Amino acid sequence: MRFRPCIDIHNGQVKQIVGGSLTDEKDQAAENFVSGQDAGFYARFYREYGIRGGHIILLNPETSPYYQATRRQALLALGEYPGGLQIGGGIREDNAEAYLKAGASHVIVTSYVFREGRICWENLEKLKRAVGREHLVLDLSCRKKGQGYRIVTDRWQKFTDTEVNRETLLELGEHCSEFLVHAVDVEGKASGIEVELVRLLAEHGREMPITYAGGVGGFGDLEILRREGRDRLDVTVGSALDLFGGPMKFTEILKFCQGI
């Protein structure tokens, strides 16, 4: 289990938010933490520790008056750690390559691939042609609906018809190099992980990298994630991390994930 850091940017600032609270209306979100540091600070910090594969997420849509400020912060972070970070938020085939040239190792995509509630294979193929499967991460962030988990898009506001299950993971896994999965119902709450989702992801976790995010509030949650995820999943810790005002020390998380 590897630790994957994050830099979430909203309204031009690095933040930790409650995932399910994010809305395009007036660019609002319930905030757990607003940093006084810019995104470049966090990128340099992760670079100094040699931690690769973290993700930058732009949480404003292009229609937002804050979008350009958010994008500037993202580009600042990429410039501080070339090749060390992935980026997501508004990625399309016409801008994906530019982010790679700006320093991203991978682009992370949800809404462009999941259109009008279903998978848009045409757009997925466009992305593969633009950046290559090896640089493409699919964000399968999801919420519980009925007996299963449905992928959500547009800053986690809209349910799709696509369920996260073994068939979906196998099918989509042919078109990307990794999956990023936020458990949106617990994202930003540091109240415990979605064990059912973790078990489901672990069925596929030895076949390609999968990063789980959402609900980690303490080392007990990491123990559960390691056990129920069969040590096959990577993990992101957000609001509970001391860098973002939480109780879990960054260095202790590294030691835990490295098995020290």
Side-chain angles (χ1 to χ4, degrees):
M1 181 166 69
R2 292 178 295 171
F3 173 67
R4 302 285 199 108
C6 63
I7 304 174
D8 295 341
I9 308 171
H10 182 244
N11 294 358
Q13 294 176 287
V14 176
K15 296 182 181 181
Q16 284 293 308
I17 67 168
V18 178
S21 72
L22 187 62
T23 175
D24 289 347
E25 185 178 352
K26 298 182 180 180
D27 297 289
Q28 294 178 332
E31 299 169 345
N32 289 328
F33 176 83
V34 180
S35 179
Q37 303 286 351
D38 63 22
F41 167 86
Y42 292 96
R44 290 191 298 274
F45 185 88
Y46 300 145
R47 184 190 68 205
E48 288 169 5
Y49 278 88
I51 305 170
R52 305 178 69 86
H55 53 271
I56 303 167
I57 303 295
L58 290 74
L59 293 173
N60 293 103
E62 289 188 45
T63 54
S64 167
Y66 295 100
Y67 175 75
Q68 291 301 328
T70 291
R71 187 173 182 273
R72 282 194 294 271
Q73 286 293 309
L75 293 174
L76 177 64
L78 292 178
E80 292 289 351
Y81 195 2
L85 295 165
Q86 305 171 358
I87 189 165
I91 304 295
R92 306 179 305 272
E93 46 85 24
D94 61 345
N95 64 14
E97 186 178 9
Y99 282 114
L100 295 183
K101 289 180 177 178
S105 64
H106 299 70
V107 292
I108 306 167
V109 184
T110 308
S111 298
Y112 187 69
V113 169
F114 298 93
R115 308 291 292 181
E116 298 179 356
R118 56 185 60 88
I119 300 170
C120 178
W121 294 104
E122 179 182 357
N123 284 358
L124 183 53
E125 288 301 317
K126 287 179 181 178
L127 280 165
K128 283 175 62 180
R129 289 195 297 270
V131 300
R133 176 178 181 265
E134 68 275 15
H135 295 295
L136 183 57
V137 178
L138 289 182
D139 185 339
L140 306 186
S141 295
C142 54
R143 307 181 79 165
K144 192 72 180 287
K145 189 170 186 179
Q147 298 301 308
Y149 290 89
R150 296 287 183 87
I151 294 171
V152 288
T153 65
D154 299 281
R155 288 152 302 284
W156 305 326
Q157 297 172 43
K158 297 180 181 179
F159 278 98
T160 71
D161 294 334
T162 306
E163 187 172 333
V164 178
N165 54 34
R166 181 163 177 77
E167 292 71 27
T168 298
L169 293 169
L170 285 171
E171 188 173 27
L172 292 175
E174 296 293 323
H175 303 273
C176 64
S177 61
E178 297 185 20
F179 292 123
L180 171 64
V181 184
H182 290 85
V184 177
D185 289 327
V186 296
E187 173 69 19
K189 297 181 180 179
S191 58
I193 65 172
E194 286 271 17
V195 175
E196 183 182 348
L197 178 60
V198 165
R199 289 171 178 160
L200 187 159
L201 296 174
E203 293 292 330
H204 196 67
R206 61 185 172 188
E207 297 169 31
M208 66 187 300
I210 300 177
T211 300
Y212 169 87
V216 175
F219 287 94
D221 293 318
L222 290 184
E223 290 279 5
I224 295 170
L225 179 61
R226 172 170 282 168
R227 181 182 69 248
E228 300 298 333
R230 305 185 207 176
D231 212 14
R232 296 174 178 172
L233 306 178
D234 296 338
V235 64
T236 291
V237 181
S239 296
L241 186 64
D242 61 352
L243 296 178
F244 303 125
M248 297 178 71
K249 290 186 177 181
F250 176 83
T251 53
E252 293 302 312
I253 292 174
L254 288 189
K255 289 179 181 178
F256 181 95
C257 291
Q258 294 166 355
I260 298 175

